[in-house]
Amino acid sequence: MQFYSTNNQSPKVSFKEATIKGQAPDKGLYFPEHIPTLSKEFIENIDKYSNEEIAFKVIQPYVADSIPENELRHIVAETINFDIPLVKVNDNIFSLELFHGPTLAFKDVGARFMSRCLGYFVKDQKQKVIVLVATSGDTGGAVANGFYNIDGVEVVILYPSGKVSSVQEKQLTTLGNNIHALEVEGTFDDCQQLVKQAFMDEELNEKLFLTSANSINVARWLPQQFYYFFAYKQWADRNEAPVISVPSGNFGNICAGMLGYASGLPVKHFIAACNANNVVPEFMQTEKYQPKKAIATISNAMDVGDPSNFVRILELFHHQFGDLKKVLSSYSISDDETKATIKKIKRSYNYLLDPHGAVGYLALEEYLNEYPLQKGVFLETAHPVKFYDVVEPIIGEAVPIPVIVQEQLKKEKKSLKIRINEKALKDFLATL
């Protein structure tokens, strides 16, 4: 399998090269030159396979000979060594809980897979690799945990000051060692722009070996397919595929699900559930893509005004808007609607949503109101405790704190505050 750049101005590369480089030299995103087709037998009998075997079958065509089979199976097993249950909320709506990993967020899957792949690729390399990543919330903690103490790798995480939850901040700032947190006085888009500028800086890249752990990296993006297949494995109605609603910010997660669909995974329809950052909902109405400055919301991990991965969705559908519209709908959910949904679902079904899951739930509910004979799944992408300061006032009670979070909250924050300044980032990178 080779990967080409969505800008079509760079040579094709292997999975190994795409993982190490992160972004193509022409500033495009790497995309597989063909989409693997999974056998009908595999899909029809998916409940007979272990999660490890499902994940291996899904990812192996993309990795190809970049990693030996035994090593890849080991990486896959370590990536998904926690529960990913499909939980009934009511007769028509089910929650795919992606918060049972070490940092209580869906990004644990991609971060664990990528860190182990990159660790394998650089183990015999003399030059230190610097992983540069911007986060709007959960990516930072997942990447920090996934790469912690990986030999030969330094991780630099940029996050917007005051715009991530207290739990998220502790997860990305307390590990130390090879994990470095930069607190940027700006928005997530500002953080992402600083990262992009660093990758475009020829002088910097001549001195340092930089790569990215954002979802633009194929090793972060591709394994997110796994849990869509796990959801279908647990889906009871084999005669009617589910509608799937995905809380969407940078659009890597939903794009991975749509890639699985293109490979043969049965899905009735996809919903991109957005908060007030409504670039994609507007695009799906007008066919005009107009990036905006990010708006701060209570579902902060989705506060993205120019989602990087949306170009991959367009690529998947060969930039044919009519074909995309048959498969994808998109809704914008306000903070007030998010809060009301958290309160209603807790009261009606005794199920506690985090703000991102609430956006996914309400978008799905609105879609099912139009198509009442269908049923669906929303992705509950993070444990509510990560947003306890938002959730607790809504429900009027305390959110139970898992032991792992209790320990993290006791630790000391270690971060360096910087302004939106390319030189400040370069000066810091020079110290590594």
Side-chain angles (χ1 to χ4, degrees):
M1 173 75 79
Q2 295 278 291
F3 293 80
Y4 67 89
S5 168
T6 52
N7 284 343
N8 293 302
Q9 299 296 316
S10 293
K12 292 180 181 179
V13 298
S14 66
F15 175 80
K16 176 180 178 178
E17 292 172 287
T19 298
I20 291 173
K21 288 181 178 178
Q23 191 170 18
D26 64 3
K27 313 313 170 196
L29 304 191
Y30 283 119
F31 196 86
E33 63 179 348
H34 67 267
I35 308 302
T37 301
L38 293 159
S39 72
K40 187 178 178 183
E41 181 276 332
F42 170 66
I43 297 296
E44 289 179 348
N45 296 285
I46 195 167
D47 53 346
K48 296 177 182 175
Y49 291 89
S50 68
N51 282 359
E52 288 84 359
E53 189 63 29
I54 291 168
F56 176 79
K57 284 182 177 293
V58 168
I59 203 68
Q60 203 281 325
Y62 297 98
V63 176
D65 56 1
S66 288
I67 300 175
E69 179 177 334
N70 287 346
E71 186 68 31
L72 182 58
R73 286 185 181 277
H74 178 69
I75 289 171
V76 164
E78 286 195 346
T79 297
I80 56 169
N81 65 349
F82 50 87
D83 292 336
I84 302 179
L86 187 67
V87 176
K88 181 178 178 179
V89 177
N90 60 41
D91 288 342
N92 297 318
I93 296 180
F94 296 77
S95 170
L96 184 65
E97 294 186 344
L98 303 177
F99 55 71
H100 296 279
T103 72
L104 312 181
F106 80 97
K107 296 182 180 181
D108 281 325
V109 171
R112 288 163 75 79
F113 184 80
M114 183 196 165
S115 65
R116 284 151 178 80
C117 288
L118 192 60
Y120 174 79
F121 291 146
V122 305
K123 66 180 189 298
D124 297 323
Q125 191 169 289
K126 292 180 181 178
Q127 188 179 13
K128 187 180 293 183
V129 173
I130 298 174
V131 175
L132 196 55
V133 61
T135 183
S136 56
D138 287 328
T139 291
V143 168
N145 182 276
F147 279 92
Y148 183 58
N149 281 345
I150 295 282
D151 289 339
V153 179
E154 298 285 336
V155 178
V156 179
I157 302 167
L158 285 74
Y159 73 99
S161 180
K163 295 181 176 66
V164 302
S165 78
S166 52
V167 174
Q168 288 172 325
E169 187 172 42
K170 286 285 188 174
Q171 287 182 328
L172 66 93
T173 62
T174 56
L175 289 174
N177 198 5
N178 66 324
I179 309 298
H180 313 275
L182 299 183
E183 185 177 354
V184 179
E185 296 177 350
T187 67
F188 167 72
D189 287 335
D190 295 323
C191 297
Q192 188 156 255
Q193 187 58 33
L194 284 173
V195 169
K196 287 179 179 178
Q197 287 169 348
F199 284 120
M200 289 187 283
D201 190 312
E202 292 183 8
E203 180 189 0
L204 190 63
N205 281 268
E206 283 177 8
K207 297 176 182 175
L208 302 173
F209 193 147
L210 297 179
T211 190
S212 169
N214 280 99
S215 55
I216 60 171
N217 193 302
V218 295
R220 262 283 314 277
W221 169 50
L222 292 170
Q224 292 177 113
Q225 295 177 85
F226 296 166
Y227 38 75
Y228 292 90
F229 286 87
F230 301 163
Y232 187 68
K233 177 184 176 180
Q234 299 170 76
W235 186 248
D237 189 354
R238 286 290 186 265
N239 296 316
E240 196 68 45
V243 176
I244 299 183
S245 177
V246 186
S248 298
N250 225 6
F251 276 73
N253 194 353
I254 192 168
C255 185
M258 296 174 94
L259 192 65
Y261 166 77
S263 295
L265 177 68
V267 178
K268 190 80 172 179
H269 196 72
F270 284 94
I271 300 167
C274 301
N275 55 26
N277 294 281
N278 62 353
V279 172
V280 171
E282 286 192 355
F283 171 80
M284 296 305 296
Q285 293 297 321
T286 66
E287 205 176 340
K288 293 178 181 176
Y289 186 83
Q290 297 179 310
K292 303 176 183 179
K293 188 172 178 62
I295 300 167
T297 74
I298 60 171
S299 48
N300 66 285
M302 295 149 58
D303 292 348
V304 183
D306 187 8
S308 298
N309 282 289
F310 194 64
V311 67
R312 280 182 168 140
I313 291 179
L314 296 176
E315 195 74 17
L316 189 58
F317 287 86
H318 308 289
H319 294 261
Q320 297 299 308
F321 182 74
D323 292 341
L324 174 61
K325 203 166 175 65
K326 292 174 187 174
V327 179
L328 179 69
S329 298
S330 190
Y331 295 81
S332 175
I333 307 298
S334 71
D335 274 358
D336 286 345
E337 290 173 315
T338 303
K339 291 175 183 177
T341 301
I342 293 171
K343 190 171 186 177
K344 182 183 80 170
I345 302 311
K346 180 70 167 69
R347 184 180 65 243
S348 300
Y349 306 113
N350 196 32
Y351 190 86
L352 185 57
L353 297 162
D354 92 290
H356 306 77
V359 170
Y361 180 95
L362 185 55
L364 177 58
E365 186 177 71
E366 290 189 11
Y367 181 87
L368 295 181
N369 286 338
E370 293 182 56
Y371 302 94
L373 297 180
Q374 297 182 19
K375 297 182 178 182
V377 172
F378 71 94
L379 273 53
E380 180 52 292
T381 53
H383 193 292
V385 77
K386 299 190 81 169
F387 309 94
Y388 70 87
D389 37 2
V390 171
V391 173
E392 289 181 353
I394 296 170
I395 63 172
E397 60 184 83
V399 177
I401 302 179
V403 174
I404 189 171
V405 175
Q406 292 176 23
E407 295 303 313
Q408 285 167 337
L409 290 174
K410 296 175 188 173
K411 294 182 179 178
E412 181 185 352
K413 168 184 163 183
K414 301 169 188 171
S415 69
L416 175 67
K417 189 171 273 192
I418 66 168
R419 293 182 177 176
I420 309 164
N421 186 322
E422 191 177 349
K423 185 176 183 300
L425 176 58
K426 286 178 69 172
D427 288 345
F428 178 80
L429 293 175
T431 67
L432 298 178

